[in-house]
């Protein structure tokens, strides 16, 4: 099942991290923007082209050391359908470089509509007699508020096309507790969601001990990561919040087991904006991203055992 | 605030319903598909063109009697970025015909990312010195699982651009109770979400007694609609589940107050596929949709008082 492919890439590179591609235009070096604007004007198309070229530079610099990318749909939708095309083109380029693509869309809806989202992001769409891949994710983030109806169509598509998903459990933002920490009998809402994922995952078990139904568990809540890890032995964790959101490598260590498996840690701004933080030449943005990705990998591997399948 | 514009259109047309535009290719008449495919091939672009022409026909037939359309993002994403362009073009056409556009995306994320979604769907994006509207919604459906952080950026954009939102409370699908009906002390999860919306709405109060922060409350759960209406006097309801999902006009009556205000009832398949149900000539699809929209309006107004502002 799909997270197996991710887990194998993580083991191969001894690197349980993912580069978030959330490319605000402010993050893109001026020379890339100027070239794109000179070709397409200061338009949504010009902006989308700048994002794509920025992403390609990052992917080129990271693909041999980082197993996965996580483009965040919002930052592409912000540039309209031209931006959404840049999302597709980014996915295609990452795939061509052997990276695992986690589309961060947090999609959710009733069953019939989730079939459409699952086809859009993980499956195929038939037009006449031809099947197309509308988008090119290997996994999709989803929100489980609808219960099983909203998850089963994704499970079906994951089975058919060897894909995976990550369901929101405990999110990394400051107000995540307003609903997620509330108690339902003796469990919090995030534990209830986590328990559902462990159950849904039984239908999608992989060969490395984890199912295709992962959860999102924010690095900014290390204690909750520990609780979730203890409850959910077969559930893989996508862990945002490291770096720019304030969490450290130590904060995520509880997600990982003796064999070094258990999760993948995201950094978006930390990697994308490394050249701004370093204050190096903006033309050096990709090399700076690579330096930060290596630093992050090494820092995190300081708290994670050697990854063994 | 934004739902005021919706409420005024509802009153003007004496029609508290919205036409869901969830255009599966199977719903589109053959002659429209054939024309689109002859121009663009059996491609995602061809499919997207067929969806757009179908939507335009529906909008033309409905715009003088139905106040709003609700395009569901999933059914456009299914056709890739070409489909997403058809979403934009549909929004633009509906706006040009004076209809209120509810973009059904159920977006949700941490604050910084919600800023991007809010800009994408309700606000503007700056490229160089020019501002663009990436998509053209008047309101957006959102999921409140992240708490305030995920809602405040949308509130800010709603204030700035006179837009609105609908937050998921009790959804219409069979498994919605798995999480939403669970009890947190003496309240269900859907009541907790509803109470949050009533609170968030204080920051976005309109002049007709309702705020810009509405909720989604499924017609398939009439008892829960009654409970939510009693708890949330200033919250407007977007009510899916009528028709194809099985709910009747009587089921939604509790959402409405003495002045006929309180909610808007969605029908998607019922309207889009009216020509298939009638078994009339497919070229008559738009007239059939209009007949069904009038039938639905009259049936619902049988349970709703004359709408008075």
């Amino acid at each position: 099942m799909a997270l197996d492919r991710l887990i194998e890439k993580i083991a191969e590179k001894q690197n349980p991290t993912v580069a978030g591609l959330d490319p605000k235009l402010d993050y893109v070096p001026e020379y890339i923007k100027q070239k794109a604007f000179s070709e397409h004007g200061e338009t949504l198309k010009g902006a989308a082209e700048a994002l794509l070229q920025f992403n390609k530079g990052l992917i080129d610099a990271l693909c041999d050391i980082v197993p996965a990318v996580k483009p965040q749909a919002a930052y592409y939708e912000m540039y309209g359908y031209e931006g959404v095309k840049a999302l597709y083109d980014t996915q295609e380029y990452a795939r061509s470089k052997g990276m695992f693509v986690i589309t961060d869309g947090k999609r959710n809806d009733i069953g019939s509509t989730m079939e459409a989202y699952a086809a859009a992001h993980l499956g195929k769409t038939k037009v006449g007699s031809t099947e197309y891949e509308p988008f090119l994710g290997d996994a999709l983030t989803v929100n489980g508020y609808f219960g099983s109806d909203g998850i089963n169509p994704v499970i079906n598509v994951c089975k058919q096309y060897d894909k995976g998903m990550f369901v929101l459990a405990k999110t990394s933002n400051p107000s995540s507790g307003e609903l997620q920490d509330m108690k339902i009998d003796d469990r919090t809402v995030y534990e209830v969601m986590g328990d559902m994922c462990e159950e849904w995952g039984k239908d999608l078990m992989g060969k490395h001990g984890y199912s295709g139904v992962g959860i999102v568990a924010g690095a900014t809540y290390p204690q909750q990561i520990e609780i979730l890890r203890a409850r959910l032995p077969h559930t893989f964790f996508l862990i945002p919040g490291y770096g720019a959101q304030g969490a450290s490598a130590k904060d995520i260590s509880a997600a990982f087991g003796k064999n070094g498996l258990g999760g993948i840690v995201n950094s978006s701004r930390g990697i994308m904006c490394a050249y701004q933080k370093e204050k190096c030449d903006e033309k050096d943005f990709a090399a700076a991203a690579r330096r930060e990705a290596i630093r992050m990998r090494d820092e995190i591997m300081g708290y994670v055992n050697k990854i063994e399948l």
Side-chain angles (χ1 to χ4, degrees), chain A:
Chain A
M1 297 296 175
L3 294 181
D4 286 348
R5 288 192 286 117
L6 174 62
I7 289 167
E8 287 154 18
K9 284 178 200 289
I10 288 171
E12 178 203 318
K13 296 185 164 48
Q14 290 292 307
N15 186 359
T17 73
V18 48
L21 297 177
D22 312 357
K24 284 192 176 180
L25 212 46
D26 292 345
Y27 300 169
V28 180
E30 286 301 323
Y31 80 98
I32 291 178
K33 283 190 278 199
Q34 279 170 18
K35 183 161 187 293
F37 292 160
S38 74
E39 286 167 15
H40 305 287
E42 285 186 349
T43 60
L44 294 176
K45 186 169 186 170
E49 175 65 16
L51 304 188
L52 177 61
Q53 294 309 324
F54 181 50
N55 285 345
K56 283 185 170 182
L58 293 169
I59 290 166
D60 283 340
L62 300 173
C63 63
D64 63 324
I65 53 167
V66 176
V69 289
K70 182 175 76 63
Q72 164 56 255
Y75 292 98
Y76 301 86
E77 293 180 18
M78 236 185 110
Y79 297 96
Y81 54 82
E82 299 286 3
V84 174
K85 181 172 188 310
L87 170 61
Y88 177 90
D89 292 338
T90 296
Q91 293 171 327
E92 188 176 48
Y93 194 74
R95 179 188 278 190
S96 79
K97 295 289 175 174
M99 299 183 93
F100 188 92
V101 177
I102 302 170
T103 303
D104 198 354
K106 303 191 172 72
R107 297 307 197 239
N108 63 111
D109 219 297
I110 64 170
S112 51
T113 302
M114 268 324 263
E115 284 177 21
Y117 273 133
H121 293 287
L122 300 172
K124 293 183 180 175
T125 292
K126 205 165 183 176
V127 181
S129 53
T130 312
E131 284 190 323
Y132 294 93
E133 282 186 278
F135 293 95
L136 305 176
D138 294 298
L140 177 68
T141 60
V142 302
N143 183 321
Y145 191 74
F146 285 80
S148 309
D149 299 341
I151 300 298
N152 288 332
V154 190
I155 291 179
N156 292 339
V157 167
C158 286
K159 275 186 193 166
Q160 193 177 354
Y161 296 106
D162 188 24
K163 303 289 178 99
M165 76 180 97
F166 294 96
V167 183
L168 300 181
K170 176 66 184 170
T171 62
S172 61
N173 57 309
S175 75
S176 71
E178 286 176 14
L179 177 67
Q180 298 164 28
D181 290 354
M182 283 191 159
K183 277 280 181 99
I184 293 170
D185 297 328
D186 58 339
R187 297 182 297 166
T188 58
V189 167
Y190 72 81
E191 288 171 309
V192 169
M193 284 308 310
D195 290 350
M196 285 183 184
C197 292
E198 184 79 9
E199 189 64 32
W200 289 324
K202 287 182 181 165
D203 217 20
L204 214 60
M205 271 306 296
K207 58 186 172 194
H208 304 297
Y210 294 95
S211 84
V213 185
I215 59 164
V216 174
T220 42
Y221 297 102
Q223 208 182 335
Q224 287 79 351
I225 287 182
E226 202 174 333
I227 291 166
L228 287 165
R229 176 43 71 223
R231 288 185 90 87
L232 314 175
H234 308 98
T235 302
F236 207 74
F237 292 6
L238 171 61
I239 307 168
Y242 171 88
Q245 286 182 57
S248 71
K250 187 165 184 294
D251 291 333
I252 54 84
S253 58
F256 294 86
K258 282 183 191 160
N259 60 355
L261 286 177
I264 187 162
V265 182
N266 181 74
S267 172
S268 301
R269 277 168 282 176
I271 290 176
M272 284 186 295
C273 302
Y275 77 99
Q276 293 176 343
K277 197 173 173 197
E278 277 192 14
K279 298 188 171 52
C280 66
D281 187 327
E282 61 167 25
K283 293 203 172 166
D284 204 25
F285 79 93
R290 184 181 173 92
R291 286 191 286 275
E292 169 59 17
I294 289 171
R295 193 204 59 73
M296 178 190 177
R297 176 197 68 193
D298 294 347
E299 190 186 55
I300 286 171
M301 285 305 289
Y303 292 89
V304 172
N305 289 342
K306 186 171 188 306
I307 301 161
E308 293 181 302
L309 299 187

